[in-house]
């Protein structure tokens, strides 16, 4: 199975990470959604989106925020 090894710097870059700043609702993983994926690294992008969504959900549970 072909895969692309990405440089860790790509998903730590400000251009990628700043897309998540200020998001209040669950982030969609659908193509052409609000987050531009790293080219050739869909699995990495989806994993970051899953983690951000989980962190938001846990934060809301702990703080009594949005249900």
């Amino acid at each position: 199975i072909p895969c692309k090894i990405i440089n860790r710097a790509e998903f730590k870059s400000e251009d990628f990470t700043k897309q998540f700043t200020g998001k209040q609702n669950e982030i969609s993983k659908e193509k052409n959604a609000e987050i531009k994926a790293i080219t050739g690294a869909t699995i990495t992008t989806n994993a970051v989106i899953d983690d951000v969504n989980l962190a938001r959900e846990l934060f809301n549970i702990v703080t009594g925020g949005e249900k």
Side-chain angles (χ1 to χ4, degrees):
I1 300 172
C3 67
K4 177 184 176 190
I5 305 299
I6 65 164
N7 182 327
R8 289 179 64 180
E10 285 184 67
F11 69 90
K12 289 184 175 185
S13 75
E14 185 177 348
D15 286 339
F16 180 68
T17 59
K18 72 182 177 183
Q19 298 180 89
F20 296 92
T21 302
K23 299 294 183 206
Q24 298 292 319
N25 300 314
E26 185 171 344
I27 300 168
S28 172
K29 291 190 281 186
E30 292 190 27
K31 191 172 183 173
N32 298 322
E34 58 201 297
I35 301 296
K36 292 191 182 244
I38 298 169
T39 303
T42 304
I43 293 171
T44 300
T45 301
N46 286 342
V48 171
I49 289 172
D50 287 343
D51 289 347
V52 169
N53 284 334
L54 177 60
R56 181 192 52 80
E57 185 177 338
L58 293 173
F59 176 83
N60 286 334
I61 289 169
V62 170
T63 64
E66 179 186 332
K67 304 287 180 196

